[in-house]
Amino acid sequence: MNILTTSRGALGLTRFPEDPRDQLRAWDASDEYLLRHLEEETPRGTVVVVGDRWGTLVTALATHRPVQITDSYLTQQATRANLARNRTQDEAAGVRLLSTQDTPPDRIDVLLVRVPKSLALLEDQLQRLAPHLHAETVVVGTGMATEIHTSTLKLFERIVGPTRTSLAVKKARLIFCTPDPDRTGTAAVAGEPWPRSYELPGGIGAMSGRTVTNHAGIFCADRLDIGTRLFLQHLPRPGGPVRVVDLGCGNGVVGTAVAVADPEADVVFTDESFQAVASAEATFRANTGPSAKAEFLVGDGLAGMARESVDLVLNNPPFHTHRALTDSTSWRMFTGARAALRPGGELWVIGNRHLGYHVRLRRLFGNCETVASNPKFVVLRAVKRR
């Protein structure tokens, strides 16, 4: 746990799940910059915080009863933990936690935006929120200078209104935007709407020529990435009423491929992104019909899955959390998969060659086989022994 000192007091903050070995903080200079700015301009009315990474902003502003909007289940869990650690029960209860798929408040008086990595997600959220702004709404964005580009400012300008930036402090900047009712009133229908769909190419097994749907912020929202292409070409064919988990499902193309090839399979789609799980359900429904059955879970990997209840786990693990490179997420996914798999069950992983997942899988499972590879990616298979 690290301590953030603010004018509202010292806050003990952690990421989620909490790991005492984790040296990464739950905030950065852009969060500090925004909080210092708000010391001079006290938020009034309905405060909405978008993209708060680990609940730092919401925890610091809890006395203003803010509404948090995030795409991340882990962010929601971190926020709950940080609120419980630093705020009274009444203050914590006054904070509302919404996902990017939920309906925002009718009226927003203060909008605070932590600029996300995905420009598409920023566009989608600004379009969803703009109709709820009014001429007096205070709109402030924040991010590290490397995260704020000309395209970022143009989005604020086009969807919300006139925009300017602050000077950089500790390599962080603020974005100030004045809502223009002529723009915010039409923002919800401006530009290309999300979700978006595209047709898959041939030569990838059961999903050849089928449709994939992506909500804003999903990786490779307009095309099939080359790693997933290789995975689809070499997916196992379990057959029968087996239970399969598409772990870190993204748009759900991998799990849907299993469901199309084996209608008896019980497929579970899970991801920590609300946008991803919504995309996976849309992809599944478009290719299997309304009567097909599957589970769609937003959560922390397989943390809530019963032990030895799964026959097959398919996984394309991320190797970063926000902008920090880390293998902690993939390790949690692998250990969670081993716990959830029945004896004889299999974990199949697609990953970049240089990440060396085979080393970790051999350490955890005692075995690891290379199923397929190309110059950049490798498909690995590990079997759970008794």
Side-chain angles (χ1 to χ4, degrees):
M1 181 173 66
N2 292 294
I3 304 298
L4 172 63
T5 302
T6 75
S7 64
R8 298 168 176 84
L11 302 174
L13 302 168
T14 64
R15 297 181 172 219
F16 182 89
E18 185 175 351
D19 182 351
R21 298 166 298 177
D22 187 1
Q23 299 301 308
L24 298 173
R25 298 188 312 182
W27 73 91
D28 62 20
S30 67
D31 297 309
E32 294 178 295
Y33 198 177
L34 178 57
L35 290 174
R36 284 197 302 271
H37 170 75
L38 294 176
E39 292 173 6
E40 304 170 6
E41 186 171 347
T42 303
R44 298 183 184 280
T46 300
V47 179
V48 172
V49 182
V50 178
D52 193 4
R53 297 284 168 87
W54 301 103
T56 293
L57 297 175
V58 164
T59 301
L61 299 171
T63 56
H64 299 283
R65 311 176 78 85
V67 178
Q68 182 192 72
I69 298 177
T70 180
D71 179 41
S72 170
Y73 171 86
L74 298 184
T75 290
Q76 286 192 345
Q77 295 303 102
T79 303
R80 290 189 176 97
N82 285 325
L83 284 169
R85 184 182 296 113
N86 294 282
R87 294 300 181 185
T88 67
Q89 187 173 355
D90 287 345
E91 288 172 339
V95 176
R96 291 176 59 197
L97 305 183
L98 302 180
S99 81
T100 49
Q101 290 288 306
D102 292 326
T103 301
D106 291 336
R107 176 187 171 93
I108 300 174
D109 300 299
V110 179
L111 176 62
L112 307 176
V113 181
R114 180 63 169 84
V115 174
K117 180 179 179 181
S118 168
L119 196 65
L121 182 58
L122 176 62
E123 177 185 32
D124 178 66
Q125 291 305 295
L126 289 179
Q127 287 183 341
R128 284 168 55 88
L129 296 170
H132 303 269
L133 308 180
H134 54 85
E136 303 303 317
T137 300
V138 175
V139 180
V140 186
T142 188
M144 300 306 293
T146 55
E147 299 172 321
I148 298 175
H149 310 285
T150 301
S151 56
T152 310
L153 304 178
K154 285 182 176 179
L155 272 185
F156 277 92
E157 185 91 27
R158 174 171 63 84
I159 299 173
V160 180
T163 300
R164 62 184 178 86
T165 60
S166 71
L167 296 174
V169 174
K170 295 183 179 179
K171 299 182 180 180
R173 288 187 182 276
L174 299 180
I175 300 170
F176 303 105
C177 194
T178 304
D180 179 352
D182 290 336
R183 300 182 207 185
T184 57
T186 59
V189 295
E192 296 182 37
W194 293 90
R196 299 177 185 173
S197 299
Y198 63 87
E199 185 177 299
L200 291 167
I204 54 170
M207 290 300 287
S208 295
R210 292 179 178 268
T211 299
V212 169
T213 300
N214 293 273
H215 284 266
I218 303 305
F219 176 65
C220 277
D222 58 352
R223 68 190 185 283
L224 182 67
D225 69 279
I226 57 176
T228 302
R229 177 192 288 265
L230 179 67
F231 207 16
L232 290 171
Q233 291 170 334
H234 297 279
L235 284 179
R237 297 179 178 274
V242 293
R243 194 172 195 217
V244 181
V245 176
D246 186 350
L247 175 59
C249 62
N251 59 26
V253 63
V254 171
T256 299
V258 172
V260 169
D262 180 10
E264 291 186 86
D266 174 15
V267 183
V268 180
F269 297 83
T270 183
D271 202 291
E272 78 100 13
S273 161
F274 292 92
Q275 300 284 97
V277 173
S279 301
E281 183 164 9
T283 297
F284 179 83
R285 298 300 176 201
N287 292 284
T288 60
S291 61
K293 295 182 180 180
E295 293 180 69
F296 302 91
L297 306 176
V298 180
D300 178 17
L302 293 172
M305 192 71 64
R307 293 182 64 85
E308 299 192 350
S309 63
V310 175
D311 300 289
L312 175 65
V313 176
L314 305 171
N315 183 215
N316 183 357
F319 55 91
H320 55 79
T321 173
H322 298 298
R323 293 183 178 272
L325 297 179
T326 174
D327 60 1
S328 61
T329 300
S330 61
W331 182 245
R332 289 207 320 277
M333 286 181 161
F334 297 163
T335 55
R338 190 182 187 285
L341 284 167
R342 298 184 176 102
E346 301 179 0
L347 168 63
W348 287 54
V349 176
I350 176 72
N352 292 79
R353 276 182 171 277
H354 72 273
L355 296 174
Y357 288 148
H358 63 286
V359 176
R360 283 185 170 268
L361 291 173
R362 285 198 185 103
R363 186 189 311 167
L364 185 62
F365 285 82
N367 65 91
C368 181
E369 170 194 355
T370 299
V371 176
S373 65
N374 63 26
K376 189 173 182 180
F377 292 94
V378 61
V379 178
L380 304 172
R381 169 181 173 264
V383 181
K384 181 178 179 177
R385 311 296 188 191
R386 280 196 177 274

